[in-house]
Amino acid sequence: MTCEIKSAYLAAEGLMDPLLNELEGVTSVHDQLILSTQPAKNAFWAQNVWRNPQFLNIKSINDAANQLKALQRNWCLYSYTLHRRAQLILEKLPPTNSKPICFPSSISAYPLGSFTLLDENTLLASADCSSPFPNGEAHFIEDKNGPPNRAYLKLYEALTLSGIIPKSGDFCVDVGGSPGGWAWVINNLSAEVLSIDRSPLSPSVANLAGVSFQKRDAFTLLPEEFENRRIDWLFCDVICYPEKLYDWILKWVESGICKNIICTIKFKGESDLSIANKFAAIPGSRVRHLFHNKNELTWLKVRDFSDYQQH
Ligand SMILES: C[S@@+](CC[C@H](N)C(=O)[O-])C[C@H]1O[C@@H](n2cnc3c(N)ncnc32)[C@H](O)[C@@H]1O
């Protein structure tokens, strides 16, 4: 590999095409890992971005581990070839916490780098990655009994990345909230939640103290209704066209009455880069593909958003 690689991007399973669509200077693809000659960008569809990766010429497994340790302490392996040798290098490195995350918890302050073995004597390693999770995979301790569906994991991930969570005394509006996975998370955090949906909440969530529900079309809900009430968090997981969502969310942003907004942008078939760019251009916000997102992106406009993904 002779050309200079300035960035690498890990695609989520089945989501290589939208990521490739965002990138320039691609020189090669190694399973899910894309190498590029262009400086790293906050690619929406990347599960992890490797900034300024470097090639390390390695003489042995010990030499590889020593070179990585000289760069920093914590590493995760992306293995697509020579799995045994790559694993032996990993085993020579200081241990990192690989247990599922207990929500809520804060992200480790120590950076997590990524490396891969390109051939027997060449590593590609980046000490500066966008995701605090190994290969961007946010695995949480799951609750099989409390929430009515698995959507709660998406909110766990979004809030963990945000670095702040709803707290007791906060008022949250949860649009497109049924059957109630997100409302269940908010309720568990002791915040008050008003869920809006055309379909009812699951009774196990609807009956929780601190949860209220209105059956209505999400898009009739406008900031004017809350003139005298501060909204600490606006959550939206409505299935709808991204353009319709953008026009509606802009009203909320312009009203300035929500401290924090987290919203899923859902795509039908091919994703549309121009609408993702429009969301990302809203000041103080980010667009990310979360590990728990499928063919969708998450838009976050969170006060004091932790800057771990900033370049
Ligand atoms: C992906 S589900 C939401 C899951 C939810 N966040 C949870 O944690 O359980 C999408 C929801 O959007 C609702 N929805 C779609 N269009 C809507 C609209 N125009 N107004 C209100 N709800 C809508 C659907 O009824 C559905 O419950």
Side-chain angles (χ1 to χ4, degrees):
M1 200 134 336
T2 49
C3 59
E4 196 186 353
I5 297 300
K6 291 198 176 140
S7 57
Y9 302 83
L10 193 65
E13 270 322 307
L15 292 170
M16 176 61 79
D17 286 349
L19 178 55
L20 279 172
N21 197 26
E22 282 185 78
L23 302 177
E24 283 167 8
V26 172
T27 56
S28 56
V29 178
H30 304 272
D31 214 345
Q32 294 296 110
L33 187 68
I34 305 168
L35 309 194
S36 162
T37 55
Q38 296 301 301
K41 66 184 271 193
N42 270 327
F44 305 135
W45 290 92
Q47 193 159 284
N48 199 9
V49 181
W50 299 19
R51 303 175 189 124
N52 302 311
Q54 35 184 307
F55 292 102
L56 303 179
N57 195 273
I58 57 160
K59 295 188 197 75
S60 64
I61 287 163
N62 275 333
D63 180 40
N66 287 338
Q67 289 197 49
L68 288 170
K69 281 191 277 189
L71 292 173
Q72 70 174 28
R73 184 192 186 278
N74 292 340
W75 291 96
C76 86
L77 164 67
Y78 175 66
S79 184
Y80 70 91
T81 185
L82 298 165
H83 300 291
R84 179 80 188 125
R85 187 169 172 79
Q87 192 58 39
L88 289 171
I89 295 170
L90 185 67
E91 284 167 14
K92 297 269 176 200
L93 293 169
T96 54
N97 187 359
S98 56
K99 289 191 192 129
I101 306 159
C102 175
F103 180 84
S105 346
S106 45
I107 286 169
S108 162
Y110 298 100
L112 179 64
S114 299
F115 74 95
T116 193
L117 202 47
L118 293 171
D119 60 46
E120 203 168 327
N121 300 110
T122 318
L123 278 188
L124 185 71
S126 165
D128 180 16
C129 292
S130 66
S131 178
F133 309 120
N135 293 321
E137 296 184 10
H139 294 285
F140 290 93
I141 296 173
E142 298 197 11
D143 187 324
K144 308 262 186 227
N145 304 314
N149 58 5
R150 292 179 60 77
Y152 74 101
L153 292 168
K154 200 161 57 177
L155 191 55
Y156 272 10
E157 185 178 355
L159 290 172
T160 303
L161 291 176
S162 298
I164 55 167
I165 53 175
K167 57 183 187 313
S168 172
D170 280 358
F171 174 55
C172 308
V173 178
D174 170 36
V175 183
S178 292
W182 288 22
W184 176 87
V185 172
I186 300 161
N187 182 266
N188 263 356
L189 294 170
S190 306
E192 181 187 347
V193 54
L194 166 64
S195 271
I196 310 285
D197 205 294
R198 290 192 300 218
S199 308
L201 285 176
S202 149
S204 63
V205 178
N207 294 333
L208 294 169
V211 174
S212 55
F213 176 74
Q214 286 180 16
K215 182 175 160 68
R216 63 189 276 188
D217 178 0
F219 297 100
T220 63
L221 189 80
L222 295 173
E224 293 78 67
E225 277 188 44
F226 297 90
E227 246 172 19
N228 298 318
R229 186 134 203 215
R230 172 193 62 143
I231 298 178
D232 296 291
W233 292 84
L234 174 66
F235 297 101
C236 178
D237 196 24
V238 170
I239 298 169
C240 64
Y241 288 110
E243 292 76 11
K244 186 171 182 177
L245 181 68
Y246 177 82
D247 291 344
W248 178 78
I249 214 74
L250 214 51
K251 294 178 189 157
W252 289 90
V253 172
E254 284 165 359
S255 77
I257 71 162
C258 303
K259 271 204 215 165
N260 306 293
I261 312 178
I262 293 182
C263 183
T264 316
I265 310 166
K266 295 174 190 278
F267 295 96
K268 220 175 169 192
E270 242 174 69
S271 66
D272 173 0
L273 205 50
S274 64
I275 191 71
N277 279 324
K278 276 172 80 172
F279 271 96
I282 296 176
S285 76
R286 310 269 183 283
V287 173
R288 293 284 173 268
H289 182 266
L290 304 181
F291 176 60
H292 292 285
N293 279 146
K294 296 189 179 83
N295 190 21
E296 58 189 17
L297 294 168
T298 297
W299 176 73
L300 306 105
K301 188 178 185 313
V302 173
R303 217 164 263 191
D304 305 325
F305 191 78
S306 69
D307 250 358
Y308 80 95
Q309 279 188 329
Q310 280 290 67
H311 290 175

